[in-house]
Amino acid sequence: MKTYIVGNWKLNFTVGESSIYLHKLMKALPNYRDIEMVVAPSFLALQPLSLQIDRHKMKLASQNGFYRDYGAFTGEVSFSQLRGIVDYAIIGHSERRHILGEDDKMIAKKIAAAVRNRIRPILCVGETESERAFGETADVIRDQLLGGLSEIGDDDLDKVLIAYEPVWAISSTKAAKLASPEEISEVVKLIRETIHEVYGKKIAEEMPVLFGGSVKPSNAGSYLITEGVDGLLVGGASLILSEFVDIINTAKRVKA
Ligand code: 13P
């Protein structure tokens, strides 16, 4: 299986800055055939960057998308508009769940809309600090996972990627708030068991599961060798050229 390294730029970089950064990033990296390198800029930058990017080397993802293809939905961007521009879409990110109020029902419709438009969804799941403290992690992950996948048919499951992003480990500056490889492997195991139970062994084994939450060059290697982890979803460190390049080169080294 390929290793996926996805840079989520969140609400950062102007269109110009995005273009310059992408140029430098592509120059700094060789063509790694076994590493799927993906960046997720703002909606505004996607179209110009799609003309600039070398798709043999790197792919684009959107950070979101709307579940209807067209109509009276002021301010939204549909997956039918993103079709042909991006190969992937991050869906159900915790910042959208918790700041923008997205629920599993809406996320399920977005996953279906992405698939319908030939865009591979990266479904994000993850528990908050208090959910973990109350012992609710397994329930939360199962609900988000099965809820998110509820609107697509079995034939489309092979297009989906899962990203486990514990909310408490995102943008963390404290060592105590970093997810340990043991904590990650436990939840990744639960994700695969849940998929196995509901959709069968093959799809459970083959569905890529990424980890995200304060991934840095210093911890990327240990996360990538964690059992069941097929890649990383990187926020802050993906905005720093040397760090993102370092993480990708680490993936190449570790997964070789
Ligand atoms: P950080 O790497 O900045 O913690 O962000 C993780 C994340 O939310 C990626 O989607």
Side-chain angles (χ1 to χ4, degrees):
M1 189 191 293
K2 276 194 180 190
T3 301
Y4 296 81
I5 307 292
V6 183
N8 177 7
W9 295 357
K10 306 191 180 182
L11 184 48
N12 295 289
F13 291 162
T14 62
V15 174
E17 287 163 351
S18 302
S19 172
I20 292 167
Y21 186 90
L22 180 69
H23 176 78
K24 289 183 184 165
L25 188 61
M26 286 198 297
K27 233 174 113 177
L29 288 161
N31 213 336
Y32 288 144
R33 271 200 289 155
D34 44 355
I35 311 274
E36 183 80 329
M37 305 182 230
V38 184
V39 290
S42 74
F43 276 136
L44 219 49
L46 283 173
Q47 205 274 338
L49 264 55
S50 76
L51 303 175
Q52 177 188 347
I53 203 164
D54 174 359
R55 285 197 185 196
H56 297 293
K57 185 178 269 192
M58 213 168 271
K59 304 283 202 302
L60 287 174
S62 65
Q63 299 173 18
N64 183 28
F66 193 57
Y67 55 84
R68 293 283 290 272
D69 285 346
Y70 57 88
F73 303 103
T74 302
E76 292 298 330
V77 175
S78 70
F79 290 106
S80 62
Q81 291 172 321
L82 291 164
R83 185 178 185 146
I85 294 176
V86 300
D87 288 286
Y88 296 88
I90 298 169
I91 299 179
H93 190 280
S94 66
E95 285 145 22
R96 297 212 59 86
R97 291 177 189 268
H98 298 292
I99 304 172
L100 282 309
E102 289 192 11
D103 59 12
D104 290 329
K105 241 175 135 170
M106 183 188 285
I107 289 163
K109 289 198 249 176
K110 291 185 173 196
I111 298 277
V115 165
R116 175 166 84 234
N117 286 290
R118 302 190 193 293
I119 294 166
R120 293 189 68 185
I122 303 170
L123 169 60
C124 300
V125 299
E127 81 287 2
T128 62
E129 189 170 17
S130 66
E131 286 163 346
R132 175 163 280 259
F134 284 111
E136 296 167 358
T137 302
D139 285 344
V140 169
I141 299 294
R142 280 180 70 95
D143 286 353
Q144 292 180 349
L145 199 56
L146 299 179
L149 297 175
S150 63
E151 295 280 330
I152 58 169
D154 289 6
D155 287 353
D156 285 324
L157 287 166
D158 61 349
K159 289 150 194 120
V160 178
L161 296 85
I162 306 295
Y164 171 51
E165 294 209 315
V167 181
W168 49 272
I170 294 177
S171 309
S172 173
T173 45
K174 300 190 196 99
K177 290 257 181 85
L178 288 180
S180 69
E182 294 72 32
E183 286 166 328
I184 298 166
S185 69
E186 202 177 301
V187 176
V188 170
K189 191 163 163 249
L190 172 82
I191 290 172
R192 290 200 197 277
E193 280 169 2
T194 306
I195 302 283
H196 185 164
E197 240 171 72
V198 181
Y199 302 107
K201 184 164 183 258
K202 186 171 182 305
I203 196 76
E205 282 172 357
E206 291 176 0
M207 191 172 281
V209 181
L210 282 51
F211 169 74
S214 306
V215 172
K216 303 282 177 248
S218 56
N219 58 26
S222 65
Y223 288 150
L224 282 164
I225 58 168
T226 299
E227 203 181 336
V229 172
D230 304 308
L232 302 169
L233 182 49
V234 188
S238 75
L239 300 169
I240 302 162
L241 184 72
S242 59
E243 294 199 2
F244 196 52
V245 168
D246 200 345
I247 290 169
I248 291 168
N249 286 328
T250 300
K252 176 68 190 165
R253 209 171 45 243
V254 169
K255 293 284 189 176

PDB file of all heavy atoms in Angstrom, residues 160-182:
ATOM      1  N   VAL A 160     -12.445   5.537  -0.092  1.00  0.00           N
ATOM      2  CA  VAL A 160     -12.398   6.325   1.147  1.00  0.00           C
ATOM      3  C   VAL A 160     -11.088   6.111   1.911  1.00  0.00           C
ATOM      4  O   VAL A 160     -10.567   5.005   1.976  1.00  0.00           O
ATOM      5  CB  VAL A 160     -13.595   5.929   2.055  1.00  0.00           C
ATOM      6  CG1 VAL A 160     -13.557   6.679   3.378  1.00  0.00           C
ATOM      7  CG2 VAL A 160     -14.920   6.165   1.338  1.00  0.00           C
ATOM      8  N   LEU A 161     -10.595   7.200   2.495  1.00  0.00           N
ATOM      9  CA  LEU A 161      -9.484   7.123   3.439  1.00  0.00           C
ATOM     10  C   LEU A 161     -10.012   7.641   4.778  1.00  0.00           C
ATOM     11  O   LEU A 161     -10.887   8.511   4.801  1.00  0.00           O
ATOM     12  CB  LEU A 161      -8.326   8.026   3.015  1.00  0.00           C
ATOM     13  CG  LEU A 161      -7.586   7.739   1.711  1.00  0.00           C
ATOM     14  CD1 LEU A 161      -8.304   8.379   0.529  1.00  0.00           C
ATOM     15  CD2 LEU A 161      -6.171   8.290   1.771  1.00  0.00           C
ATOM     16  N   ILE A 162      -9.466   7.109   5.843  1.00  0.00           N
ATOM     17  CA  ILE A 162      -9.848   7.580   7.182  1.00  0.00           C
ATOM     18  C   ILE A 162      -8.659   8.315   7.786  1.00  0.00           C
ATOM     19  O   ILE A 162      -7.515   7.891   7.613  1.00  0.00           O
ATOM     20  CB  ILE A 162     -10.215   6.392   8.108  1.00  0.00           C
ATOM     21  CG1 ILE A 162     -11.297   5.489   7.475  1.00  0.00           C
ATOM     22  CG2 ILE A 162     -10.640   6.884   9.495  1.00  0.00           C
ATOM     23  CD1 ILE A 162     -12.645   6.135   7.269  1.00  0.00           C
ATOM     24  N   ALA A 163      -8.939   9.417   8.477  1.00  0.00           N
ATOM     25  CA  ALA A 163      -7.874  10.071   9.242  1.00  0.00           C
ATOM     26  C   ALA A 163      -8.295  10.106  10.706  1.00  0.00           C
ATOM     27  O   ALA A 163      -9.345  10.663  11.032  1.00  0.00           O
ATOM     28  CB  ALA A 163      -7.631  11.480   8.725  1.00  0.00           C
ATOM     29  N   TYR A 164      -7.487   9.485  11.559  1.00  0.00           N
ATOM     30  CA  TYR A 164      -7.752   9.570  12.990  1.00  0.00           C
ATOM     31  C   TYR A 164      -7.022  10.789  13.542  1.00  0.00           C
ATOM     32  O   TYR A 164      -5.790  10.847  13.526  1.00  0.00           O
ATOM     33  CB  TYR A 164      -7.288   8.294  13.710  1.00  0.00           C
ATOM     34  CG  TYR A 164      -7.349   8.440  15.225  1.00  0.00           C
ATOM     35  CD1 TYR A 164      -8.506   8.898  15.852  1.00  0.00           C
ATOM     36  CD2 TYR A 164      -6.243   8.143  16.021  1.00  0.00           C
ATOM     37  CE1 TYR A 164      -8.560   9.075  17.226  1.00  0.00           C
ATOM     38  CE2 TYR A 164      -6.292   8.291  17.404  1.00  0.00           C
ATOM     39  CZ  TYR A 164      -7.452   8.763  17.992  1.00  0.00           C
ATOM     40  OH  TYR A 164      -7.507   8.948  19.352  1.00  0.00           O
ATOM     41  N   GLU A 165      -7.811  11.755  13.985  1.00  0.00           N
ATOM     42  CA  GLU A 165      -7.232  12.976  14.545  1.00  0.00           C
ATOM     43  C   GLU A 165      -7.856  13.244  15.917  1.00  0.00           C
ATOM     44  O   GLU A 165      -8.930  13.852  16.006  1.00  0.00           O
ATOM     45  CB  GLU A 165      -7.520  14.178  13.634  1.00  0.00           C
ATOM     46  CG  GLU A 165      -6.845  14.096  12.279  1.00  0.00           C
ATOM     47  CD  GLU A 165      -6.530  15.479  11.705  1.00  0.00           C
ATOM     48  OE1 GLU A 165      -7.400  16.369  11.751  1.00  0.00           O
ATOM     49  OE2 GLU A 165      -5.408  15.670  11.248  1.00  0.00           O
ATOM     50  N   PRO A 166      -7.201  12.773  16.986  1.00  0.00           N
ATOM     51  CA  PRO A 166      -7.727  13.079  18.324  1.00  0.00           C
ATOM     52  C   PRO A 166      -7.707  14.594  18.510  1.00  0.00           C
ATOM     53  O   PRO A 166      -6.670  15.231  18.330  1.00  0.00           O
ATOM     54  CB  PRO A 166      -6.748  12.378  19.265  1.00  0.00           C
ATOM     55  CG  PRO A 166      -5.551  11.994  18.454  1.00  0.00           C
ATOM     56  CD  PRO A 166      -5.915  12.046  17.016  1.00  0.00           C
ATOM     57  N   VAL A 167      -8.868  15.155  18.864  1.00  0.00           N
ATOM     58  CA  VAL A 167      -8.990  16.616  18.919  1.00  0.00           C
ATOM     59  C   VAL A 167      -7.988  17.209  19.912  1.00  0.00           C
ATOM     60  O   VAL A 167      -7.405  18.266  19.678  1.00  0.00           O
ATOM     61  CB  VAL A 167     -10.447  17.014  19.289  1.00  0.00           C
ATOM     62  CG1 VAL A 167     -10.611  18.519  19.322  1.00  0.00           C
ATOM     63  CG2 VAL A 167     -11.435  16.400  18.297  1.00  0.00           C
ATOM     64  N   TRP A 168      -7.771  16.495  21.009  1.00  0.00           N
ATOM     65  CA  TRP A 168      -6.876  16.989  22.061  1.00  0.00           C
ATOM     66  C   TRP A 168      -5.400  17.015  21.628  1.00  0.00           C
ATOM     67  O   TRP A 168      -4.573  17.638  22.288  1.00  0.00           O
ATOM     68  CB  TRP A 168      -7.021  16.136  23.329  1.00  0.00           C
ATOM     69  CG  TRP A 168      -6.953  14.647  23.071  1.00  0.00           C
ATOM     70  CD1 TRP A 168      -8.004  13.838  22.751  1.00  0.00           C
ATOM     71  CD2 TRP A 168      -5.795  13.815  23.076  1.00  0.00           C
ATOM     72  NE1 TRP A 168      -7.568  12.548  22.560  1.00  0.00           N
ATOM     73  CE2 TRP A 168      -6.219  12.497  22.759  1.00  0.00           C
ATOM     74  CE3 TRP A 168      -4.434  14.038  23.327  1.00  0.00           C
ATOM     75  CZ2 TRP A 168      -5.329  11.419  22.672  1.00  0.00           C
ATOM     76  CZ3 TRP A 168      -3.550  12.970  23.245  1.00  0.00           C
ATOM     77  CH2 TRP A 168      -3.995  11.679  22.924  1.00  0.00           C
ATOM     78  N   ALA A 169      -5.079  16.353  20.538  1.00  0.00           N
ATOM     79  CA  ALA A 169      -3.672  16.312  20.103  1.00  0.00           C
ATOM     80  C   ALA A 169      -3.400  17.253  18.927  1.00  0.00           C
ATOM     81  O   ALA A 169      -2.280  17.325  18.429  1.00  0.00           O
ATOM     82  CB  ALA A 169      -3.290  14.886  19.717  1.00  0.00           C
ATOM     83  N   ILE A 170      -4.429  17.982  18.490  1.00  0.00           N
ATOM     84  CA  ILE A 170      -4.243  18.898  17.355  1.00  0.00           C
ATOM     85  C   ILE A 170      -3.641  20.216  17.839  1.00  0.00           C
ATOM     86  O   ILE A 170      -4.049  20.750  18.869  1.00  0.00           O
ATOM     87  CB  ILE A 170      -5.598  19.135  16.621  1.00  0.00           C
ATOM     88  CG1 ILE A 170      -6.070  17.832  15.965  1.00  0.00           C
ATOM     89  CG2 ILE A 170      -5.470  20.244  15.580  1.00  0.00           C
ATOM     90  CD1 ILE A 170      -7.428  17.918  15.282  1.00  0.00           C
ATOM     91  N   SER A 171      -2.675  20.707  17.094  1.00  0.00           N
ATOM     92  CA  SER A 171      -1.992  21.987  17.398  1.00  0.00           C
ATOM     93  C   SER A 171      -1.477  22.024  18.833  1.00  0.00           C
ATOM     94  O   SER A 171      -1.594  23.047  19.514  1.00  0.00           O
ATOM     95  CB  SER A 171      -2.928  23.179  17.194  1.00  0.00           C
ATOM     96  OG  SER A 171      -3.545  23.129  15.948  1.00  0.00           O
ATOM     97  N   SER A 172      -0.923  20.932  19.277  1.00  0.00           N
ATOM     98  CA  SER A 172      -0.464  20.873  20.654  1.00  0.00           C
ATOM     99  C   SER A 172       0.967  21.360  20.777  1.00  0.00           C
ATOM    100  O   SER A 172       1.818  21.057  19.953  1.00  0.00           O
ATOM    101  CB  SER A 172      -0.565  19.441  21.175  1.00  0.00           C
ATOM    102  OG  SER A 172       0.031  19.369  22.433  1.00  0.00           O
ATOM    103  N   THR A 173       1.217  22.142  21.835  1.00  0.00           N
ATOM    104  CA  THR A 173       2.585  22.583  22.081  1.00  0.00           C
ATOM    105  C   THR A 173       3.141  21.872  23.317  1.00  0.00           C
ATOM    106  O   THR A 173       4.303  22.012  23.659  1.00  0.00           O
ATOM    107  CB  THR A 173       2.638  24.104  22.309  1.00  0.00           C
ATOM    108  OG1 THR A 173       1.574  24.457  23.203  1.00  0.00           O
ATOM    109  CG2 THR A 173       2.443  24.860  21.000  1.00  0.00           C
ATOM    110  N   LYS A 174       2.264  21.102  23.979  1.00  0.00           N
ATOM    111  CA  LYS A 174       2.719  20.415  25.203  1.00  0.00           C
ATOM    112  C   LYS A 174       2.956  18.935  24.930  1.00  0.00           C
ATOM    113  O   LYS A 174       2.123  18.269  24.301  1.00  0.00           O
ATOM    114  CB  LYS A 174       1.652  20.536  26.292  1.00  0.00           C
ATOM    115  CG  LYS A 174       1.326  21.961  26.673  1.00  0.00           C
ATOM    116  CD  LYS A 174       0.453  21.958  27.937  1.00  0.00           C
ATOM    117  CE  LYS A 174      -0.212  23.308  28.126  1.00  0.00           C
ATOM    118  NZ  LYS A 174      -1.590  23.369  27.663  1.00  0.00           N
ATOM    119  N   ALA A 175       4.067  18.439  25.449  1.00  0.00           N
ATOM    120  CA  ALA A 175       4.402  17.024  25.235  1.00  0.00           C
ATOM    121  C   ALA A 175       3.288  16.120  25.767  1.00  0.00           C
ATOM    122  O   ALA A 175       2.967  15.087  25.183  1.00  0.00           O
ATOM    123  CB  ALA A 175       5.725  16.704  25.911  1.00  0.00           C
ATOM    124  N   ALA A 176       2.674  16.541  26.875  1.00  0.00           N
ATOM    125  CA  ALA A 176       1.626  15.723  27.495  1.00  0.00           C
ATOM    126  C   ALA A 176       0.402  15.569  26.587  1.00  0.00           C
ATOM    127  O   ALA A 176      -0.404  14.667  26.751  1.00  0.00           O
ATOM    128  CB  ALA A 176       1.203  16.344  28.821  1.00  0.00           C
ATOM    129  N   LYS A 177       0.268  16.491  25.646  1.00  0.00           N
ATOM    130  CA  LYS A 177      -0.905  16.460  24.766  1.00  0.00           C
ATOM    131  C   LYS A 177      -0.564  15.894  23.389  1.00  0.00           C
ATOM    132  O   LYS A 177      -1.254  16.162  22.418  1.00  0.00           O
ATOM    133  CB  LYS A 177      -1.487  17.867  24.634  1.00  0.00           C
ATOM    134  CG  LYS A 177      -2.136  18.378  25.900  1.00  0.00           C
ATOM    135  CD  LYS A 177      -3.665  18.294  25.793  1.00  0.00           C
ATOM    136  CE  LYS A 177      -4.363  18.814  27.026  1.00  0.00           C
ATOM    137  NZ  LYS A 177      -4.551  20.269  26.990  1.00  0.00           N
ATOM    138  N   LEU A 178       0.522  15.149  23.306  1.00  0.00           N
ATOM    139  CA  LEU A 178       0.826  14.463  22.052  1.00  0.00           C
ATOM    140  C   LEU A 178       0.291  13.048  22.163  1.00  0.00           C
ATOM    141  O   LEU A 178       0.402  12.417  23.219  1.00  0.00           O
ATOM    142  CB  LEU A 178       2.339  14.406  21.811  1.00  0.00           C
ATOM    143  CG  LEU A 178       3.032  15.719  21.428  1.00  0.00           C
ATOM    144  CD1 LEU A 178       4.516  15.486  21.237  1.00  0.00           C
ATOM    145  CD2 LEU A 178       2.421  16.321  20.167  1.00  0.00           C
ATOM    146  N   ALA A 179      -0.292  12.554  21.084  1.00  0.00           N
ATOM    147  CA  ALA A 179      -0.786  11.178  21.116  1.00  0.00           C
ATOM    148  C   ALA A 179       0.415  10.230  21.098  1.00  0.00           C
ATOM    149  O   ALA A 179       1.368  10.459  20.353  1.00  0.00           O
ATOM    150  CB  ALA A 179      -1.684  10.925  19.912  1.00  0.00           C
ATOM    151  N   SER A 180       0.365   9.185  21.911  1.00  0.00           N
ATOM    152  CA  SER A 180       1.459   8.213  21.900  1.00  0.00           C
ATOM    153  C   SER A 180       1.144   7.149  20.845  1.00  0.00           C
ATOM    154  O   SER A 180      -0.033   6.911  20.534  1.00  0.00           O
ATOM    155  CB  SER A 180       1.600   7.553  23.272  1.00  0.00           C
ATOM    156  OG  SER A 180       0.482   6.710  23.506  1.00  0.00           O
ATOM    157  N   PRO A 181       2.182   6.502  20.309  1.00  0.00           N
ATOM    158  CA  PRO A 181       1.926   5.438  19.338  1.00  0.00           C
ATOM    159  C   PRO A 181       0.972   4.374  19.881  1.00  0.00           C
ATOM    160  O   PRO A 181       0.145   3.847  19.129  1.00  0.00           O
ATOM    161  CB  PRO A 181       3.322   4.860  19.084  1.00  0.00           C
ATOM    162  CG  PRO A 181       4.246   6.018  19.310  1.00  0.00           C
ATOM    163  CD  PRO A 181       3.629   6.791  20.440  1.00  0.00           C
ATOM    164  N   GLU A 182       1.004   4.106  21.196  1.00  0.00           N
ATOM    165  CA  GLU A 182       0.092   3.103  21.785  1.00  0.00           C
ATOM    166  C   GLU A 182      -1.355   3.584  21.700  1.00  0.00           C
ATOM    167  O   GLU A 182      -2.256   2.821  21.346  1.00  0.00           O
ATOM    168  CB  GLU A 182       0.442   2.829  23.255  1.00  0.00           C
ATOM    169  CG  GLU A 182       1.793   2.158  23.484  1.00  0.00           C
ATOM    170  CD  GLU A 182       2.977   3.087  23.244  1.00  0.00           C
ATOM    171  OE1 GLU A 182       2.843   4.309  23.487  1.00  0.00           O
ATOM    172  OE2 GLU A 182       4.029   2.606  22.775  1.00  0.00           O
TER     173      GLU A 182
END
